[in-house]
């Protein structure tokens, strides 16, 4: 493989094996005896009670997430407000969006009456803004228009203030120095700093993120200064996103990514090593997993990192490849004779994964479609990681009290740490650490300006607003604790129940009308390689095209077609002349008699057969689309579909 000088084998595993097959293994692994279940229950119950006892609900941002979940109009409106304020460059457009969206919410209604300061402050600010301008209440007169205009700057200021308030609860500091300062006040926690920002779209954005990561590593390193060296596990750390470090972090750009991103990641890892920091690569979308591991594998194998056990990566339990991935990490640690850290999360991009698989017409989803399957997989990964503690330092990132209690039951408190997001899980971990002083919890602390907060905020809102989310039910006193503590294996009674019946397979999305056109996941190297081989084979022959009128092929004027890619002759086209054009017009005027005489059912079947043939000849057609018009693979596949 070009550019890949890693001693590690590439990570390759089927993207989307059947849920039922995976469920059989996970369910067998989930069985516990009664005494174990009782102990898990007792601890989890204590934790949930501690959470509920906290005045004003969960405290901090969790109250806010509960009040403004994205399933409410207000939550959605808030997102659009954030968008308006952060992305729209001119004040006038921002004002119009704000005006529009405030009208959609019921900011001053009884629904949002949380005593928590953050929620009431936000509701108040947004409520005031909604009062100042409420299009529904204002007749469309000139006077009102002026009044509206006068109100808008105030409105914008009020909304900005509310956003600032929200940001300050999610973000430890706007700069790394500010974050380090605030962290110093809480020496009881370990921190992993996360420079907000992702998905660099340009080379200069990627350079900016690289510089921010490098500066943050230097600042964190100098903040711990000459403190006696301790294991990286006990030291502060930094989390990086590969998508922030390269503008083309995508599977079809593999060679370029390996050539350009590997040295960048290696530079950052070396800097972290020099300060003995923890260095974790965040997990992003499933389509990027194999590519991430190509880059990580190449970096890890670099001799300059030997003797350092601070390198880590995140694993998402909602991905069907989670267990094979942990096996790959175990092998990597053994091959390199070094200890790696693994942050186990459930996964923050669930909605995106589902939508993307549907959009791309994949055979199946790369993630589970029932939350209980993710929980089962999480616990299977926990056990595997705990068993590998010699070579792996596990980090269990969760705000779910049942998950926390189950982890402790599986592994005690030694040789791993818990992790929580800044502003979340405070009550849970305060109660846990008070009860079990040997347990440790690291705080993942976002750092950055409000401008970079949006993607992070949307993920938190999507994840915590869902009814299935632990944060959402734990905050709701009307949900009995027994319900909150219901085990995932009781939701998945048998492997047949592993899938969410309301989420059709991507190919059945438009049924019963029609099948979805078949797509491909470029991020699965095996599928991409198979497609590229088909395209190479499809490009081998020469193509011919000619006019066809009502089923009859005609000759026309011959022209050689030259590929804009390399100037090669790729075939011959016979273009219709005037006589052929007239014949076509006449056939159309006559209503294409042969076609018109074909019964409707038969015509439909013919069209379906044509679609099937387009799919079964995809190699030739994609080669043609690329060679004739110079299309990218992405565009060519989209056109074929
Ligand atoms: C310290 C820390 C670091 C993190 N880093 C990352 C990271 O690098 N990459 C990343 O992706 N996320 C990351 N996260 C976010 C993490 O994935 C979510 O916070 C986590 O999923 C919430 O899990 P929970 O156990 O707290 O909550 P729970 O409420 O128990 O679980 C919610 C999760 O269940 C899953 N889920 C929900 N509905 C379904 C469904 N229908 N089918 C299948 N699964 C479903 C989703 O993963 C959802 O997020 C991090 C979180 C923390 C605390």
């Amino acid at each position: 493989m070009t550019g890949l000088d890693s001693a590690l084998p590439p990570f390759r595993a089927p993207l989307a094996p059947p849920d039922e097959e995976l469920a059989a293994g996970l369910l067998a692994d989930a069985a516990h005896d009664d005494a174990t279940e009782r102990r898990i229950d007792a601890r989890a119950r204590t934790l949930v009670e501690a959470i509920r006892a906290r005045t004003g609900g969960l405290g901090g941002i969790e109250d806010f997430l509960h009040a403004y979940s994205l399933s409410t109009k207000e939550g959605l409106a808030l997102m659009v407000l954030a968008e308006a304020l952060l992305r729209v460059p001119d004040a006038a457009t921002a004002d119009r969006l704000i005006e529009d969206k405030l009208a959609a919410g019921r900011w001053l209604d009884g629904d949002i009456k949380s005593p928590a300061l953050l929620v009431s402050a936000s509701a108040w600010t947004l409520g005031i803004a909604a009062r100042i301008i409420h299009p529904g209440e204002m007749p469309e007169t000139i006077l009102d228009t002026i009044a509206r205009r006068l109100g808008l700057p105030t409105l914008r200021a009020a909304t900005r203030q509310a956003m600032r308030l929200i940001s300050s609860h999610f973000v430890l500091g706007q700069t790394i120095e500010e974050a380090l300062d605030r962290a110093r006040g809480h020496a009881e926690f370990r921190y992993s700093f996360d420079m907000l920002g992702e998905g660099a779209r340009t080379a200069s954005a990627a350079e900016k993120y690289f510089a921010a990561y490098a500066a943050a590593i230097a600042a964190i390193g100098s903040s711990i200064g000459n403190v006696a060296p301790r294991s990286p596990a006990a030291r502060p750390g930094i989390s990086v996103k590969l998508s922030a470090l390269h503008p083309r972090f995508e599977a079809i750009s593999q060679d370029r990514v390996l050539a350009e991103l590997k040295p960048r990641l290696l530079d950052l890892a070396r800097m972290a090593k020099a300060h003995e920091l923890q260095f974790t690569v965040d997990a992003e979308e499933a389509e990027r997993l194999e590519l991430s591991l190509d880059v990580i594998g190449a970096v890890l194998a670099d001799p300059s990192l030997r003797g350092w056990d601070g390198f880590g990566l995140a694993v998402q339990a909602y991905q069907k490849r989670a267990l094979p991935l942990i096996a790959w990490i175990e092998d990597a640690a053994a091959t390199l004779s070094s200890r790696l850290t693994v942050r186990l999360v459930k996964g923050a991009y669930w909605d995106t994964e589902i939508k993307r698989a549907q959009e791309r017409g994949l055979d199946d989803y790369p993630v589970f479609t029932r939350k209980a399957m993710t929980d089962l997989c999480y616990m299977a990964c926990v056990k595997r990681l705990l068993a590998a503690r010699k070579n792996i330092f596990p980090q269990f990132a969760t705000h779910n009290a049942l998950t926390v209690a189950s982890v402790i039951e599986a592994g005690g408190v030694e040789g791993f740490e818990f992790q929580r997001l800044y502003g979340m899980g405070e009550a849970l971990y305060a109660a846990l650490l008070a009860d079990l002083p040997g347990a440790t919890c690291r705080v993942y602390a976002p750092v950055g300006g409000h401008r970079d907060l949006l993607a992070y905020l949307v993920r938190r809102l999507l994840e915590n607003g869902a009814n299935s989310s632990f944060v959402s039910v734990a905050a709701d006193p009307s949900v009995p604790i027994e319900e909150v503590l219901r085990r995932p294996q009781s939701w998945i009674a048998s492997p047949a129940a592993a899938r969410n019946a309301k989420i059709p397979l991507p190919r059945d999305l438009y049924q019963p009308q029609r099948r979805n056109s078949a797509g491909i996941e470029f991020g699965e190297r095996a599928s991409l390689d198979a497609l590229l081989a088909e395209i190479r084979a499809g490009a081998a022959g020469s193509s011919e095209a000619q006019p066809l009128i009502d089923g009859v092929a005609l000759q026309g004027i011959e022209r050689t077609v030259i590929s804009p890619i390399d100037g090669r002759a790729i075939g011959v086209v016979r273009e219709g002349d005037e006589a052929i054009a007239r014949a076509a017009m006449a056939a159309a005027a006559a209503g294409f008699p042969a076609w018109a005489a074909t019964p409707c059912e038969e015509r439909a079947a013919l069209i379906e057969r044509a679609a099937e043939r387009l799919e079964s000849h995809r190699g030739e057609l994609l080669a043609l689309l690329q060679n004739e018009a110079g299309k990218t693979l992405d565009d060519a596949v989209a056109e074929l579909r």
Side-chain angles (χ1 to χ4, degrees), residues 245-465:
L245 289 170
H246 199 279
R248 286 268 168 214
F249 182 52
E250 59 199 13
I252 38 176
S253 307
Q254 189 198 34
D255 289 349
R256 187 177 155 198
V257 167
L258 282 166
E260 295 171 4
L261 180 53
K262 181 206 149 181
R264 272 176 224 170
L265 187 68
L266 183 58
D267 278 353
L268 292 174
R270 283 182 183 144
M271 292 175 210
K273 180 185 179 224
H275 293 287
E276 286 288 322
L277 300 183
Q278 270 254 329
F279 182 82
T280 305
V281 180
D282 281 350
E284 300 185 69
E285 294 87 345
E287 63 175 333
R288 290 170 155 162
L289 180 64
E290 288 188 7
L291 184 60
S292 298
L293 294 166
D294 290 345
V295 175
I296 290 171
V299 167
L300 269 178
D302 195 278
S304 65
L305 298 184
R306 292 285 146 80
W308 175 50
D309 55 3
F311 195 100
L313 64 163
V315 172
Q316 297 158 321
Y318 67 11
Q319 278 209 47
K320 295 176 179 174
R321 292 173 292 180
L323 282 166
L325 171 54
I326 293 177
W328 183 87
I329 299 170
E330 283 178 50
D331 287 348
T335 307
L336 302 168
S337 309
S338 79
R339 199 164 184 236
L340 298 173
T341 63
V342 175
R343 178 201 301 150
L344 183 65
V345 302
K346 287 180 190 164
Y349 304 82
W350 185 79
D351 304 70
T352 310
E353 298 294 356
I354 297 294
K355 194 70 233 153
R356 190 164 277 164
Q358 294 177 341
E359 226 174 71
R360 295 191 178 172
L362 303 187
D363 290 337
D364 204 340
Y365 297 100
V367 296
F368 294 113
T369 53
R370 291 195 71 188
K371 186 194 178 260
M373 285 293 291
T374 297
D375 288 332
L376 285 171
C377 183
Y378 191 93
M379 284 314 299
C381 294
V382 164
K383 286 180 195 159
R384 180 112 198 206
L385 290 171
L386 287 171
R389 269 178 278 190
K390 192 163 123 325
N391 288 332
I392 288 178
F393 180 72
Q395 303 168 313
F396 300 119
T398 176
H399 306 123
N400 182 323
L402 177 61
T403 308
V404 167
S406 307
V407 169
I408 291 170
E409 189 57 38
V413 292
E414 299 286 325
F416 71 88
E417 69 182 17
F418 286 108
Q419 294 198 341
R420 69 172 176 84
L421 297 177
Y422 176 72
M424 295 186 65
E426 287 168 2
L428 166 67
Y429 284 104
L432 183 79
L433 301 193
D435 189 36
L436 287 176
T440 47
C441 178
R442 186 183 293 270
V443 180
Y444 181 101
V447 178
H450 305 150
R451 202 163 264 282
D452 291 318
L453 180 69
L454 196 66
Y456 181 85
L457 187 63
V458 168
R459 277 205 296 280
R460 299 289 83 80
L461 280 167
L462 280 173
E463 153 191 325
N464 295 291

Side-chain angles (χ1 to χ4, degrees), residues 147-218:
R148 268 201 233 181
R149 282 224 187 98
L150 282 177
L152 281 171
T154 320
L155 171 70
R156 205 171 345 112
T159 318
R160 255 186 230 287
Q161 187 55 32
M163 291 308 298
R164 215 163 278 139
L165 193 66
I166 296 163
S167 307
S168 73
H169 280 259
F170 267 120
V171 176
L172 186 60
Q174 297 219 29
T175 61
I176 186 71
E177 287 75 21
E178 195 188 324
L180 284 165
D181 242 19
R182 283 175 81 180
R184 234 169 257 127
H186 293 281
E188 69 275 25
F189 294 121
R190 301 163 181 181
Y191 283 91
S192 183
F193 297 94
D194 160 48
M195 308 309 291
L196 281 176
E198 49 205 283
R201 293 282 178 269
T202 60
S204 65
E207 273 164 30
K208 194 190 96 196
Y209 285 129
F210 177 87
Y213 283 138
I217 292 171

Side-chain angles (χ1 to χ4, degrees), residues 593-607:
W595 182 245
T598 311
C600 178
E601 288 298 314
E602 223 172 282
R603 274 189 272 165
L606 277 167
I607 291 175

Side-chain angles (χ1 to χ4, degrees), residues 529-565:
D529 285 346
L531 181 73
L532 293 175
E534 277 179 50
I535 295 175
R536 271 193 304 275
S542 172
S543 304
E544 280 182 32
Q546 64 192 119
L548 201 60
I549 299 176
D550 213 14
V552 180
L554 303 165
Q555 283 311 308
I557 309 158
E558 194 170 297
R559 178 171 69 80
T560 303
V561 179
I562 304 294
S563 166
I565 300 173

